[in-house]
Amino acid sequence: MTDTPTLPATSREWHLLSRPVGWPKPEDFALVEAEIRQPGPGEVLVRNAYVSVDPYMRGRMSAAKSYVAPFELGKVMQGGAVGEVVASGAEGIAPGDHVLHFGGWREYATVSAEQAVKVDPEAAPLSTYLGVLGMTGLTAYAGLLRTASFKEGDSVFVSGAAGAVGSQVGQIARLKGASRVIGSAGSDDKVKLLVEEYGFDAAFNYKSGPVSEQLRAAAPDGIDVYFDNVGGDHLEAAIGSLNQGGRIAICGMISVYNNTEAAPGPRNLARLIQTRGRIEGLLVGDHYDLQPQFVQEVGAWVRSGELKYAETVVEGIENNLEAFLGVLRGDNTGKMIVKL
């Protein structure tokens, strides 16, 4: 085992104290000091440089059965993180290497080497491995190309289009030959960003009027693909504008995550009979076989500048919770990341 350099004895980490009802409250969480555990055989100790906060984490705060186990009360939460290995008990990973892993929401993490993926900080900034070249990027890539079966000439509508996933979906669609790309976002500045920076053909502020009316104006010939990050009135509007044979990929429904009662479903589902439309849910974990293809293709677009990305960076582990709440409020443009 590699000798460990001088390290602090403790690390700050976030614990879930109680399961939030409705919007999470600060008293549901605690930032605590925890002893740093040296790595055993097959483990590495990582000093996190960046950690991710994502909408799906709200679901893990609930005890309800889902596709991933809930966070345990009184224990450290998890999430994507990237950092430098400072001690290693594993072959093939040495101190000084940088890895992507799932031990976020803390300053130092001891993780299994099998669950750590080496990344190259020379090939791309470390933070991008949590966003444009990470899980959110693969979600956009797989969701559009596989789940929604995108094909050249499709008209594509993306909700939450200024977010980490949505902004990438729209740009990939454009680069792959979409006939029209439409996005919705929650501010006029984000709408401007979508059109002027990311190359969307049209975008609208969903707070400025009924989504169904704004979508019809932006896509008068209808849409072939809807990539859903929001749910609610956006999903109903998309069904209303869906062309024959249209496809809807359900990635997220951030508009209902904090509801204490079940949200009403779209009132126009019967229209899917007429259009022969398809709705399919999306989990990125089902599509890791696309990772090499994704990194090669999207990495080239990022390096050439053809695909642009934004990050909202919050500094300090003490601000991890506020950054997460900011994602739920829609404060972020692009990927929300905490820099440690």
Side-chain angles (χ1 to χ4, degrees):
M1 181 170 155
T2 305
D3 290 338
T4 306
T6 302
L7 296 171
T10 60
S11 165
R12 290 180 293 173
E13 60 185 36
W14 282 94
H15 289 198
L16 182 66
L17 300 184
S18 57
R19 302 206 180 279
V21 177
W23 274 87
K25 301 180 292 295
E27 52 266 34
D28 293 324
F29 307 85
L31 181 61
V32 304
E33 293 270 349
E35 184 179 352
I36 294 175
R37 182 173 68 80
Q38 297 303 318
E43 294 183 325
V44 293
L45 174 61
V46 184
R47 180 193 294 117
N48 287 334
Y50 296 92
V51 301
S52 178
V53 286
D54 302 281
Y56 80 87
M57 293 173 176
R58 177 61 184 88
R60 296 197 68 188
M61 294 171 189
S62 165
K65 187 174 181 180
S66 185
Y67 60 88
V68 64
F71 291 132
E72 294 184 60
L73 294 180
K75 294 189 177 180
V76 64
M77 296 186 288
Q78 298 106 29
V82 64
E84 181 182 355
V85 175
V86 293
S88 176
E91 291 187 15
I93 301 181
D97 287 342
H98 290 81
V99 295
L100 174 67
H101 61 95
F102 212 63
W105 288 76
R106 69 199 90 179
E107 292 174 307
Y108 287 81
T110 303
V111 299
S112 167
E114 293 182 351
Q115 298 174 339
V117 178
K118 285 206 284 190
V119 297
D120 183 1
E122 300 297 322
L126 275 180
S127 59
T128 63
Y129 293 105
L130 294 176
V132 66
L133 295 179
M135 185 176 70
T136 51
L138 181 59
T139 300
Y141 188 86
L144 177 68
L145 302 183
R146 178 176 281 172
T147 307
S149 304
F150 172 85
K151 58 184 184 296
E152 188 176 352
D154 279 344
S155 175
V156 177
F157 172 45
V158 188
S159 60
V165 174
S167 60
Q168 207 156 338
V169 171
Q171 292 184 82
I172 293 172
R174 173 177 55 78
L175 289 163
K176 288 282 191 179
S179 62
R180 190 164 177 80
V181 179
I182 305 105
S184 74
S187 75
D188 292 341
D189 284 343
K190 289 180 179 180
V191 167
K192 184 178 180 182
L193 176 75
L194 293 175
V195 175
E196 296 185 1
E197 288 290 320
Y198 295 155
F200 282 59
D201 296 289
F204 60 85
N205 182 344
Y206 66 83
K207 297 175 182 176
S208 298
V211 175
S212 58
E213 293 179 10
Q214 295 196 80
L215 178 57
R216 278 196 297 271
D221 296 325
I223 59 171
D224 302 299
V225 168
Y226 170 48
F227 195 103
D228 190 13
N229 292 304
V230 174
D233 55 355
H234 280 75
L235 178 56
E236 187 170 291
I239 292 171
S241 285
L242 204 63
N243 291 329
Q244 185 167 316
R247 289 87 64 204
I248 295 175
I250 305 290
C251 176
M253 291 193 173
I254 198 169
S255 70
V256 303
Y257 285 169
N258 293 306
N259 288 7
T260 55
E261 296 180 5
R267 297 166 295 181
N268 57 349
L269 279 173
R271 194 169 185 278
L272 295 175
I273 303 170
Q274 172 192 340
T275 61
R276 280 78 102 195
R278 171 168 63 84
I279 300 180
E280 185 175 335
L282 160 66
L283 284 180
V284 68
D286 297 335
H287 303 285
Y288 281 119
D289 61 298
L290 291 176
Q291 180 81 17
Q293 174 184 325
F294 155 71
V295 170
Q296 182 178 12
E297 188 165 25
V298 175
W301 285 333
V302 170
R303 286 191 296 274
S304 69
E306 292 174 276
L307 193 149
K308 302 180 188 303
Y309 66 94
E311 295 174 340
T312 300
V313 180
V314 173
E315 301 229 2
I317 188 70
E318 65 276 8
N319 294 313
N320 221 89
L321 175 59
E322 182 55 30
F324 167 71
L325 296 176
V327 170
L328 297 184
R329 291 191 299 261
D331 293 350
N332 57 302
T333 297
K335 183 75 183 76
M336 180 74 91
I337 293 172
V338 180
K339 181 180 180 181
L340 306 189

